[in-house]
Amino acid sequence: MDLGKKIRRYRDGLGLTQAELAAKLGLTYSSVSQWESGRAIPRTPVIKQLADLFGTTVADLMGEDGATAALRGTSRMVPLLGFAHMGEPCDEGTLADEVEVPASIADAHPRGFMVHAQGGCMDNRFPHDALLLVDPDMEPANGQPVLAETEDFGAVVRNYTRGLSTVMLTADSHSGEYDDIVAGPDDPPVTCRGRVVWYMGERDERP
């Protein structure tokens, strides 16, 4: 059984909702939802908290191989460079200097950096309050999310599409209420800072 299914099984066994489990950990319910769906994994300290809360061990939650890796600290620190928005203005507060991510992710993107992105225009892909890993060495690809900078909108996360003479940054939201950002030959340029390759819920990151 994978980690997400085990978290759900133990949570159900305690009679907790996702929001109630998240509150016990000092996180948001979206973090628990992402773990249980297999779209994200908890950080190593959080896995240890979960094991304590569930009355089990890290080895039981992750399996022997996963537990060994977790206890060895197979993670890396990646710089957290700033804020970006996903449809709404950012509530810019204090950021940590670095974020802990799985070593396999960091090693695959050696010059990668994190941004704290807020808003709902990409909520089919990312939680509205997320930490996104951006690889500046990966060229933008049509239909893939990027971190872009525009004169009018600042740092923004959207799906990228390039035509013959235009660049379009499109939203990917449940509501469909967000307008596309289109830059043609006579418009200020769109600068792509890199492709978004991984994410985690913001509350998983603790300064």
Side-chain angles (χ1 to χ4, degrees):
M1 185 181 295
D2 64 31
L3 177 59
K5 291 179 180 177
K6 287 182 180 179
I7 291 173
R8 180 173 181 174
R9 184 189 69 187
Y10 278 112
R11 175 177 63 79
D12 288 343
L14 292 175
L16 299 174
T17 65
Q18 290 182 341
E20 288 168 341
L21 175 58
K24 288 180 177 294
L25 298 169
L27 309 176
T28 61
Y29 83 92
S30 62
S31 295
V32 177
S33 176
Q34 298 297 323
W35 303 338
E36 293 186 358
S37 66
R39 297 176 65 187
I41 60 172
R43 295 174 56 217
T44 299
V46 177
I47 293 173
K48 293 177 181 177
Q49 282 184 275
L50 286 166
D52 291 341
L53 180 63
F54 294 152
T56 186
T57 64
V58 172
D60 174 59
L61 284 179
M62 300 191 67
E64 292 296 340
D65 292 342
T68 300
L71 293 172
R72 286 178 180 169
T74 54
S75 61
R76 302 280 188 273
M77 300 306 292
V78 174
L80 177 58
L81 297 190
F83 289 89
H85 75 82
M86 296 188 291
E88 289 87 23
C90 292
D91 179 18
E92 299 190 7
T94 302
L95 288 176
D97 294 327
E98 296 179 309
V99 176
E100 184 180 7
V101 305
S104 59
I105 300 296
D107 292 346
H109 307 280
R111 293 207 316 127
F113 60 89
M114 304 292 284
V115 293
H116 185 158
Q118 298 173 327
C121 78
M122 293 293 289
D123 61 8
N124 279 329
R125 285 184 178 261
F126 311 119
H128 78 90
D129 196 15
L131 293 165
L132 309 180
L133 179 64
V134 179
D135 189 332
D137 297 321
M138 294 185 71
E139 292 292 327
N142 284 353
Q144 296 300 309
V146 298
L147 173 66
E149 289 185 4
T150 73
E151 184 175 292
D152 293 333
F153 297 94
V156 60
V157 176
R158 293 283 182 98
N159 287 338
Y160 176 93
T161 302
R162 186 174 188 88
L164 292 176
S165 60
T166 61
V167 169
M168 185 161 56
L169 302 175
T170 60
D172 190 356
S173 72
H174 299 309
S175 68
E177 65 184 25
Y178 297 94
D179 294 331
D180 296 335
I181 300 171
V182 180
D186 299 324
D187 297 314
V190 170
T191 303
C192 284
R193 296 302 182 189
R195 195 187 304 180
V196 179
V197 294
W198 186 80
Y199 75 93
M200 63 191 294
E202 184 273 335
R203 294 295 182 179
D204 282 355
E205 181 272 325
R206 297 178 180 179

